[in-house]
Amino acid sequence: MSDVLYFVIPCYNEEEVLPETAKRLKQKMHALMDAGKISPQSHVLFVNDGSKDGTWELIRGFHEEDPLFSGLNLSRNRGHQNALLAGLMTVKDFADMAISMDADLQDDIDACDAMIDKYLEGKDIVYGVRSARKTDTFFKKTTAEGFYKVMNRMGAQTVYNHADYRLMSRRALQGLAGFGEVNLFLRGIVPMIGYPSDVVYYERAERFAGESKYPLKKMVSFAVEGITSLSTEPIRMITNLGFFVFLVSIIILVYSLVRHAMGATVAGWTFLNVSVWAIGGLILLSLGVIGEYIGKIYLESKGRPRFIIEQFLDTEHGYTTRDFPEKQ
Ligand code: UDP
Ligand code: MG
């Protein structure tokens, strides 16, 4: 029996592109089923993220026409990441693998063949990585590449040039379910799950129809969200800055004393000069220390799983999380 695949596609105001997406996915699913790579019980799940246009009516129509299509309707617009998570968490108990993809056909559907091959070889997470950004505008390309660089610099480890086109096995999805965070940044969290993973390269095309739902403003807030929900590096930077300013204040102290001894200062200058620097440095340093504690509280409050078990060796109770009991 081959494995059940679910494609999970978040959709927000995508009525222009959805019919084409559905058509191409249907072809792809049938080709995969005919090749025996996936089970005939596989589905395409469209997640409607509170669209204001006719997206949900379209999804309902697809489902009525062909049971291959499933639909999930969210109560309101919750954003790309939450919509994707909702889809993944819905299928995690009955899909053996799930592939997440954008609705706009920018990601090459054909790359999923290689993803499924890697899954069948035993990989649990397969990241789709863009090898070219030829069709993106210069602006989008530089801002997007800058985004990954800044993210990594700030301690938010992400896979370079990987968006949310990826395959996850069932146990990887169950691992993901253990991350109870509200500030969601899937690209940063998925690598934390662990398990064997691999990448598949593909070329990113232009949006098939409609407009990008990620203008610069949203991209910046996405980056801030990513950094602040993955790392406490910015707080560490305040501490370091405070330490640095405090060191500078000592130099200023020496300098001011020397100037004072040389009689080259106005009365009170030495005192004011040293105070400004020393107090400034101390304030920054103290803020940093307080920040370190807040950072700890913040990480604790997320209640992330501290580990995810892959295999348990034991004569009676042993298991490996790849083979779930009901499938044996
Ligand atoms: N999307 C969503 N909710 C939102 C915004 C976007 O579900 O609030 C979906 C959108 O329908 C698309 C995917 O997220 O399938 C990526 O959006 P988009 O293509 O606009 O982003 P870009 O490729 O320009 O970064
Ligand atoms: Mg897009």
Side-chain angles (χ1 to χ4, degrees), residues 308-325:
I308 295 168
I309 295 165
E310 170 166 4
Q311 194 175 11
F312 175 39
L313 284 175
D314 182 280
T315 35
E316 271 129 53
H317 308 286
Y319 61 87
T320 152
T321 47
R322 194 168 180 105
D323 305 311
F324 277 80

Side-chain angles (χ1 to χ4, degrees), residues 3-4 11 51 82 101 108 138 189 193 200 221 224 226 233-234 240 245 259-260 270 313 316 320 327:
D3 286 351
V4 175
C11 310
S51 301
N82 290 307
M101 197 180 80
D108 179 10
F138 176 76
I189 290 168
I193 298 171
V200 162
S221 72
V224 171
E233 190 61 24
N240 291 343
V245 174
R259 296 291 289 172
H260 185 74
T270 315
L313 284 175
E316 271 129 53
T320 152
K327 286 198 69 195

Side-chain angles (χ1 to χ4, degrees), residues 10-315:
C11 310
Y12 176 59
N13 296 346
E14 297 286 8
E15 65 178 3
E16 279 173 77
V17 66
L18 224 46
E20 182 66 23
T21 311
K23 196 179 103 200
R24 294 204 199 168
L25 279 168
K26 186 172 172 170
Q27 280 170 1
K28 180 48 78 189
M29 293 295 273
H30 283 299
L32 286 167
M33 286 174 194
D34 293 344
K37 283 192 182 175
I38 58 169
S39 150
Q41 258 95 60
S42 299
H43 288 271
V44 172
L45 174 68
F46 288 114
V47 181
N48 176 38
D49 184 20
S51 301
K52 293 182 186 68
D53 64 1
T55 300
W56 179 242
E57 285 63 41
L58 272 176
I59 296 172
R60 275 220 311 259
F62 297 148
H63 174 71
E64 273 154 30
E65 249 171 55
D66 189 340
L68 172 74
F69 295 106
S70 316
L72 183 69
N73 197 17
L74 300 189
S75 57
R76 66 178 177 96
N77 181 256
R78 295 302 323 262
H80 180 195
Q81 300 289 295
N82 290 307
L84 186 51
L85 187 76
L88 294 176
M89 292 302 104
T90 306
V91 303
K92 76 175 194 317
D93 296 321
F94 41 85
D96 295 299
M97 58 182 137
I99 297 182
S100 51
M101 197 180 80
D102 289 353
D104 57 8
L105 297 171
Q106 278 191 287
D107 304 314
D108 179 10
I109 292 190
D110 293 327
C112 77
D113 296 53
M115 290 184 179
I116 295 167
D117 288 341
K118 301 228 169 179
Y119 164 81
L120 295 173
E121 282 164 24
K123 299 287 190 249
D124 288 278
I125 304 175
V126 187
Y127 301 96
V129 173
R130 296 167 207 173
S131 56
R133 276 185 175 267
K134 275 183 254 156
T135 54
D136 276 351
T137 60
F138 176 76
F139 180 72
K140 175 93 190 175
K141 186 179 144 112
T142 33
T143 46
E145 284 182 356
F147 173 81
Y148 292 101
K149 297 220 174 91
V150 171
M151 294 285 298
N152 280 333
R153 240 341 253 105
M154 299 297 271
Q157 297 296 331
T158 49
V159 177
Y160 190 66
N161 258 347
H162 159 69
D164 283 301
Y165 187 23
R166 77 175 87 76
L167 180 147
M168 294 175 76
S169 69
R170 180 190 296 199
R171 67 174 182 176
L173 291 173
Q174 311 236 336
L176 178 64
F179 289 78
E181 34 206 292
V182 185
N183 303 301
L184 199 62
F185 188 69
L186 285 172
R187 275 171 235 184
I189 290 168
V190 172
M192 291 185 198
I193 298 171
Y195 291 140
S197 65
D198 208 337
V199 295
V200 162
Y201 292 94
Y202 69 96
E203 289 197 8
R204 187 148 162 104
E206 255 173 275
R207 214 172 208 289
F208 185 79
E211 277 168 13
S212 170
K213 273 92 195 160
Y214 271 103
L216 183 67
K217 194 170 144 254
K218 261 201 190 173
M219 265 192 33
V220 171
S221 72
F222 194 46
V224 171
E225 177 96 327
I227 293 162
T228 53
S229 65
L230 286 178
S231 89
T232 47
E233 190 61 24
I235 295 174
R236 187 59 51 78
M237 285 164 75
I238 298 179
T239 315
N240 291 343
L241 183 68
F243 202 66
F244 176 75
V245 174
F246 190 64
L247 282 184
V248 170
S249 83
I250 293 174
I251 298 169
I252 299 277
L253 174 71
V254 174
Y255 168 78
S256 306
L257 286 179
V258 170
R259 296 291 289 172
H260 185 74
M262 288 161 69
T265 58
V266 217
W269 178 83
T270 315
F271 177 74
L272 274 181
N273 213 22
V274 174
S275 316
V276 167
W277 281 88
I279 291 174
L282 280 175
I283 289 177
L284 274 177
L285 193 61
S286 328
L287 269 183
V289 172
I290 294 171
E292 293 284 330
Y293 286 101
I294 294 181
K296 298 258 151 48
I297 295 169
Y298 159 79
L299 289 177
E300 285 299 325
S301 68
K302 281 182 184 297
R304 281 179 181 162
R306 272 140 304 160
F307 54 80
I308 295 168
I309 295 165
E310 170 166 4
Q311 194 175 11
F312 175 39
L313 284 175
D314 182 280
T315 35

